[in-house]
Amino acid sequence: MLPCSHVFCECCLVKWDGKKCAKCSIALKGSIESLPQATRHKKLADAKDRLEVLFSPKVTSEKPSDDNLDQWFSANNFPPELCQALRNEGFEDKKVVLSLTEKDVGDIPGLKLGHRKALLMAIEDKKKDEGTSRDKTLLETPVATLLALLFDDRVLRSGSAPLDCSKFWIGFNEAQRKDFLDQFKTFGKQIAYNENVPDEKAARALQQVAMLLCEAGEFPEAEHFASMALNMHLGEGSSKEYWECKALKVLAMQNRLKQYKFCVEGNDS
């Protein structure tokens, strides 16, 4: 891969003597052997396969429910008398049981002190587990993994989407492209409004979403997510990430205005 991001095989570079790029004529420095390998192509091919598998229509199948109250009782080794006391008071739903407060548990007749403590501890542990699971799931979903795989900051250096990225998005039909991008937009919104995700990680994810949308030509949305990423970096104006977000927002805004001007002029003609 050349510094200008154009990619050629080694045979072609040797044939051209490696003096300049055959597409943009930018002069090259150093030997051909010192040029980096075009691993980006492999990543994009892998990402395309993953996208098609991830968002292809699937036959829904019944999954085991996590709302089974008896299983939760058993997992926490609750004694039969505790389970029966809850059922006697009409608690048949796991979600309702998990909403019980300390006062609610104290009002259940026939419960021993030790049983009350065990029930409250189990409820608190379950809530902590669910909160941690939600955050972990959000940051480790297949969409988040794909986002990191597709992230490419070359557009900030060149001012336009690299050719391989453009070819990547052209390879999908309109329905697929919309579906894929909608998934990433939804992920960005979930990250932005999740108070449990640290600002540093949220800003990074939002920057990746903005970059991806910018490469795909979705400039208004890219500008929006870049702005949200900037808000996460408040007070960190000297950081590298802050200025990357700033540059990305400006790039998206410029392209949005160009896109609008082109559409208007096209309509006028």
Side-chain angles (χ1 to χ4, degrees):
M1 183 174 68
L2 306 184
C4 54
S5 298
H6 290 134
V7 178
F8 301 97
C9 67
E10 186 176 357
C11 294
C12 290
L13 291 174
V14 171
K15 187 187 300 183
W16 300 328
D17 201 21
K19 292 182 178 179
K20 63 180 180 180
C21 176
K23 289 187 176 180
C24 63
S25 299
I26 290 180
L28 307 181
K29 297 180 180 179
S31 64
I32 295 175
E33 291 74 16
S34 65
L35 294 172
Q37 295 293 316
T39 56
R40 181 66 182 166
H41 276 55
K42 295 179 180 179
K43 285 185 177 182
L44 289 175
D46 184 25
K48 187 174 188 298
D49 292 339
R50 291 193 189 190
L51 276 169
E52 291 175 339
V53 171
L54 179 61
F55 301 130
S56 61
K58 299 180 181 66
V59 178
T60 56
S61 58
E62 289 293 328
K63 295 182 180 180
S65 175
D66 186 44
D67 293 331
N68 189 295
L69 190 58
D70 289 327
Q71 289 181 358
W72 188 65
F73 284 161
S74 177
N76 286 279
N77 297 316
F78 287 161
E81 55 266 34
L82 170 56
C83 303
Q84 190 57 49
L86 288 169
R87 295 192 184 283
N88 290 342
E89 293 300 310
F91 295 109
E92 302 284 348
D93 186 274
K94 181 180 172 183
K95 292 181 180 178
V96 176
V97 173
L98 291 176
S99 69
L100 290 174
T101 64
E102 185 174 357
K103 181 180 183 304
D104 295 331
V105 173
D107 290 339
I108 299 175
L111 279 187
K112 297 178 180 178
L113 178 60
H115 293 168
R116 291 176 183 172
K117 292 282 188 182
L119 177 58
L120 288 171
M121 288 175 63
I123 292 173
E124 184 178 355
D125 289 344
K126 182 62 178 175
K127 288 179 178 179
K128 287 181 180 178
D129 288 344
E130 288 182 343
T132 303
S133 176
R134 280 195 300 270
D135 299 341
K136 182 179 179 182
T137 301
L138 189 58
L139 294 171
E140 296 183 5
T141 56
V143 176
T145 302
L146 275 168
L147 186 61
L149 188 66
L150 288 168
F151 180 71
D152 183 3
D153 64 355
R154 284 179 292 165
V155 67
L156 290 180
R157 299 195 297 271
S158 63
S160 60
L163 184 61
D164 51 9
C165 293
S166 300
K167 288 181 177 178
F168 173 78
W169 289 110
I170 292 173
F172 299 107
N173 62 44
E174 189 61 29
Q176 286 178 319
R177 183 177 179 279
K178 182 180 184 304
D179 188 25
F180 298 161
L181 292 177
D182 284 347
Q183 295 284 343
F184 291 118
K185 292 174 188 177
T186 299
F187 172 77
K189 292 174 183 176
Q190 291 173 337
I191 286 288
Y193 300 112
N194 190 319
E195 297 179 354
N196 297 319
V197 178
D199 284 354
E200 182 180 352
K201 291 183 178 181
R204 180 63 176 173
L206 290 171
Q207 181 183 350
Q208 290 176 339
V209 171
M211 185 72 75
L212 181 72
L213 294 174
C214 195
E215 287 182 347
E218 302 283 319
F219 301 118
E221 291 85 352
E223 183 182 354
H224 174 66
F225 282 109
S227 296
M228 288 197 290
L230 274 174
N231 290 335
M232 301 286 182
H233 284 301
L234 287 178
E236 299 182 13
S238 60
S239 70
K240 174 176 177 267
E241 291 78 12
Y242 174 87
W243 291 110
E244 283 181 349
C245 287
K246 195 83 169 177
L248 180 57
K249 180 181 178 181
V250 171
L251 178 66
M253 180 177 64
Q254 287 177 335
N255 281 284
R256 172 178 60 81
L257 294 174
K258 288 179 183 177
Q259 196 177 57
Y260 173 76
K261 182 179 179 182
F262 176 80
C263 292
V264 171
E265 290 179 351
N267 290 335
D268 288 341
S269 63

